[in-house]
Amino acid sequence: MRITALAGGIGGARFLRGLLAAEPAAQVTVIGNVGDDITLHGLRVCPDLDTVMYTLGGGIHEGQGWGRADETFSVAQELGAYGVGPDWFTLGDRDIATHLVRTQMLEAGYPLSAVTAALCTRWKPGVKLLPATDDRAETHVVVSDGEGRRAVHFQEYWVRLHAPAAESIAFVGAEQAKPAPGVLEAIAQADLILFPPSNPVVSIGAILAVPGIREALASSEGPVVGLSPIIGGAPVRGMADKVLAAVGVETSAAAVAEYYGADLLDGWLIHEGDAVQADRVRAAGIECRALPLLMTDTAATAAMATAALDLAARLGKK
Amino acid sequence: MRITALAGGIGGARFLRGLLAAEPAAQVTVIGNVGDDITLHGLRVCPDLDTVMYTLGGGIHEGQGWGRADETFSVAQELGAYGVGPDWFTLGDRDIATHLVRTQMLEAGYPLSAVTAALCTRWKPGVKLLPATDDRAETHVVVSDGEGRRAVHFQEYWVRLHAPAAESIAFVGAEQAKPAPGVLEAIAQADLILFPPSNPVVSIGAILAVPGIREALASSEGPVVGLSPIIGGAPVRGMADKVLAAVGVETSAAAVAEYYGADLLDGWLIHEGDAVQADRVRAAGIECRALPLLMTDTAATAAMATAALDLAARLGKK
């Protein structure tokens, strides 16, 4: 079974771990978000790709869901002593090694997809991990506060500003970006495509902003099944409510399904407590099931993945 | 009193600490060797400049004489796990922060002299630390072993190969290099100039290889006084014997004085145990004193510095 999944950071990575537990024999390709990527201290940092790689490769800090286990912070402490900013984004020492390898390879001319493949030869995540694009396409958020109205990089919005009200979202560079090698093929050749419970705007949305990917999904033979990241009218974690508001979408499981639309989504899983919204999803032309959607452990997450695969199997080829 | 000193790494840095203890009111300018500099993992590393900066700024690992105190090695461990070389040069995490700041500033277009000044705003070494040149001038060593006859970077010669017999030394790029801003002025305006007990070939010699510096020293008004790094026919530490042989110079206190020559050196301090060589030094036209030259602690080193200053005072203006 060939499965292609779009993924952001923590939510996507944890779902993928459940998927691999449920279907260890599946050939899984992951199209990872690069909209959060940022250059800090001259190092190219790809938080979502690394979260997937570390989570599936056994290197993740389980408690926080991002960054490396057994991390140390000597470099960050010294950068602080030099007064070199930004002080709101702390890179761990082990993590920095990943960024050093990546930055060197990028400077040597390798595309991000090749760099990611090289890093994965160490981590062996059990999936084929592809960046959505090898080009720069950065998610910026327009905010208005005491510092004025301005667009900030997503990391500044989330990590420094702690996700205040957002006016709008821009995927800077996305219009000129091309899908990375293998991305369109992975969508076209998949038996089914999954949208894990990742942020619909700044994770899945940033991937969809790369021209060609939305069209490939809309015309894929395999059904597309998603899992709601919104439970009980709120994101399980993160700031999806803030960025959904910025694109004029209500924070509810049904509204996110409508936002993706029936041209993208064939099936949508919502949390059992949101079952009352299932008819609204179906009215949008999207099949819907309600079941427990909290990724409390790998077994619970595997059950979610199995439910998504079951729904896809019922939907069959488009 | 304006003192200008040429310096390599550990020996130079320790001597300078003694000098500052002996003459805390002196205005000391240090012209540091950059021939050992190397780019590793995309990071520009300046071992001798950093050894001087860390030693005088209180950040040095006292036991080994180079690198940071309380160092950690998470990044290096991870780079090893990625299989990214070279594995024979280990960068500590705290040290890496220095290289990150330096590399970013260099990539932003700042010359090494400005970068060094910026780093020193943190370390406050109590001297004005200047690189010999802002240009690339790297010390390479021609060796011949099982891997064939070839030129290797000084760091590979010393750290990886452990200083085998050397055929010759090349200061690659030095001919086209210019002295960094302030270097020639510091020599011209000094009341006296010191050659600490640094390696005559790959430390002091690499500085002298930058066109203009040797000439400035030969025509300086202030006397030039050096301290022998050779005691009892052997270097106190390092591989001076090997690189002296490569330039056809015997490993003795007197031979090093002759190698510099009376056009550069006005006075030369040799170890008390080498007192028999004093007449040979004087025969070369260089004033000479024999006294204890082991830098066993700061007090002993300060006494050496005082002896050098006393000899310079006796010699007076040229």
Side-chain angles (χ1 to χ4, degrees):
Chain A
M1 184 162 46
R2 290 163 303 181
I3 301 173
T4 293
L6 278 55
I10 303 176
R14 288 186 173 164
F15 175 77
L16 290 166
R17 186 155 58 180
L19 174 66
L20 292 178
E23 289 290 333
Q27 291 177 41
V28 180
T29 300
V30 176
I31 300 171
N33 172 38
V34 296
D36 300 10
D37 295 4
I38 191 167
T39 299
L40 293 166
H41 307 290
L43 301 171
R44 190 68 182 159
V45 181
C46 300
D48 282 3
L49 293 178
D50 287 351
T51 294
V52 171
M53 185 173 77
Y54 292 158
T55 299
L56 301 183
I60 201 77
H61 184 299
E62 291 290 345
Q64 64 193 17
W66 51 270
R68 293 291 311 281
D70 305 317
E71 187 56 288
T72 62
F73 295 92
S74 296
V75 176
Q77 186 182 328
E78 289 295 310
L79 290 171
Y82 278 115
V84 173
D87 59 3
W88 48 264
F89 200 107
T90 303
L91 293 175
D93 298 330
R94 294 188 189 286
D95 200 32
I96 282 174
T98 300
H99 310 321
L100 278 171
V101 176
R102 175 186 292 122
T103 303
Q104 278 184 96
M105 286 191 71
L106 290 171
E107 287 182 357
Y110 290 96
L112 182 60
S113 50
V115 175
T116 305
L119 294 171
C120 284
T121 59
R122 171 184 174 195
W123 291 102
K124 297 177 179 56
V127 302
K128 185 174 177 180
L129 178 59
L130 301 175
T133 177
D134 281 334
D135 301 316
R136 286 281 274 265
E138 287 185 352
T139 305
H140 287 217
V141 184
V142 176
V143 295
S144 196
D145 60 17
E147 295 179 42
R149 180 169 181 274
R150 66 207 188 281
V152 296
H153 188 286
F154 172 77
Q155 295 296 349
E156 183 171 357
Y157 171 75
W158 174 227
V159 180
R160 177 177 166 235
L161 300 176
H162 307 295
E167 288 188 19
S168 63
I169 314 290
F171 303 110
V172 179
E175 283 178 30
Q176 287 76 43
K178 290 184 295 296
V183 165
L184 298 183
E185 295 79 354
I187 294 170
Q189 295 165 6
D191 295 310
L192 68 140
I193 296 142
L194 298 176
F195 287 10
S198 289
N199 189 303
V201 181
V202 298
S203 293
I204 306 290
I207 297 171
L208 298 175
V210 177
I213 293 183
R214 180 182 286 274
E215 295 74 8
L217 289 163
S219 63
S220 67
E221 276 195 50
V224 178
V225 173
L227 298 94
S228 177
I230 306 298
I231 292 182
V236 176
R237 57 176 299 142
M239 76 330 284
D241 51 337
K242 303 292 177 55
V243 291
L244 281 167
V247 297
V249 175
E250 161 198 304
T251 301
S252 74
V256 171
E258 292 166 350
Y259 176 59
Y260 285 134
D263 57 330
L264 281 187
L265 275 189
D266 300 294
W268 188 238
L269 301 185
I270 62 176
H271 188 57
E272 53 187 351
D274 295 326
V276 67
Q277 296 180 48
D279 283 346
R280 181 175 157 197
V281 175
R282 293 189 191 105
I286 300 164
E287 193 49 74
C288 188
R289 296 280 184 282
L291 69 156
L293 283 194
L294 288 169
M295 298 189 287
T296 44
D297 54 31
T298 301
T301 311
M304 290 164 53
T306 298
L309 297 182
D310 287 349
L311 180 55
R314 272 172 113 50
L315 292 165
K317 297 274 182 191
K318 279 185 189 167
Chain B
M1 183 162 46
R2 290 164 302 182
I3 302 173
T4 293
L6 277 56
I10 303 176
R14 289 187 172 163
F15 175 77
L16 290 166
R17 187 156 57 182
L19 174 65
L20 292 178
E23 288 291 332
Q27 291 175 41
V28 180
T29 299
V30 176
I31 301 172
N33 173 37
V34 295
D36 300 9
D37 295 3
I38 191 167
T39 299
L40 292 167
H41 308 290
L43 301 171
R44 190 67 182 160
V45 181
C46 300
D48 282 3
L49 293 178
D50 287 351
T51 294
V52 170
M53 185 173 77
Y54 294 158
T55 299
L56 300 184
I60 201 76
H61 185 297
E62 291 290 347
Q64 63 193 15
W66 52 269
R68 293 290 312 280
D70 304 317
E71 188 56 289
T72 61
F73 295 92
S74 295
V75 175
Q77 185 181 329
E78 289 295 311
L79 291 171
Y82 278 115
V84 173
D87 59 3
W88 47 266
F89 200 108
T90 303
L91 293 174
D93 298 332
R94 295 189 188 285
D95 199 33
I96 281 175
T98 300
H99 310 320
L100 279 171
V101 176
R102 174 186 292 123
T103 303
Q104 279 184 97
M105 286 191 71
L106 290 171
E107 286 181 359
Y110 290 95
L112 181 60
S113 50
V115 174
T116 305
L119 294 171
C120 284
T121 60
R122 170 183 176 197
W123 291 102
K124 297 177 179 57
V127 302
K128 184 173 179 184
L129 178 59
L130 301 175
T133 176
D134 281 334
D135 302 316
R136 287 280 274 266
E138 287 183 352
T139 305
H140 287 217
V141 183
V142 176
V143 295
S144 196
D145 60 17
E147 296 178 41
R149 182 169 180 274
R150 66 204 188 284
V152 297
H153 188 286
F154 173 76
Q155 295 295 348
E156 184 172 357
Y157 171 75
W158 174 226
V159 180
R160 175 172 169 242
L161 301 176
H162 307 296
E167 288 188 18
S168 63
I169 314 289
F171 303 110
V172 179
E175 281 176 32
Q176 288 76 43
K178 290 184 295 293
V183 165
L184 298 184
E185 294 80 351
I187 294 170
Q189 295 164 6
D191 295 309
L192 67 142
I193 297 143
L194 297 176
F195 287 11
S198 290
N199 189 305
V201 181
V202 296
S203 295
I204 306 290
I207 297 171
L208 298 176
V210 177
I213 293 183
R214 179 182 288 274
E215 295 74 8
L217 289 163
S219 63
S220 67
E221 276 196 51
V224 178
V225 173
L227 298 94
S228 176
I230 305 298
I231 292 183
V236 176
R237 57 176 299 142
M239 75 333 280
D241 50 337
K242 303 294 178 55
V243 291
L244 280 167
V247 297
V249 175
E250 163 198 302
T251 301
S252 74
V256 172
E258 291 166 349
Y259 176 58
Y260 287 133
D263 55 331
L264 281 187
L265 275 189
D266 300 295
W268 188 238
L269 302 185
I270 63 177
H271 188 56
E272 53 187 350
D274 295 325
V276 67
Q277 296 180 47
D279 283 344
R280 180 174 157 196
V281 176
R282 291 189 192 107
I286 299 164
E287 192 49 75
C288 188
R289 297 279 184 281
L291 68 157
L293 283 193
L294 287 169
M295 299 190 285
T296 45
D297 55 32
T298 301
T301 312
M304 289 164 55
T306 298
L309 298 181
D310 287 349
L311 179 55
R314 270 174 114 49
L315 292 166
K317 297 272 183 191
K318 278 183 190 170

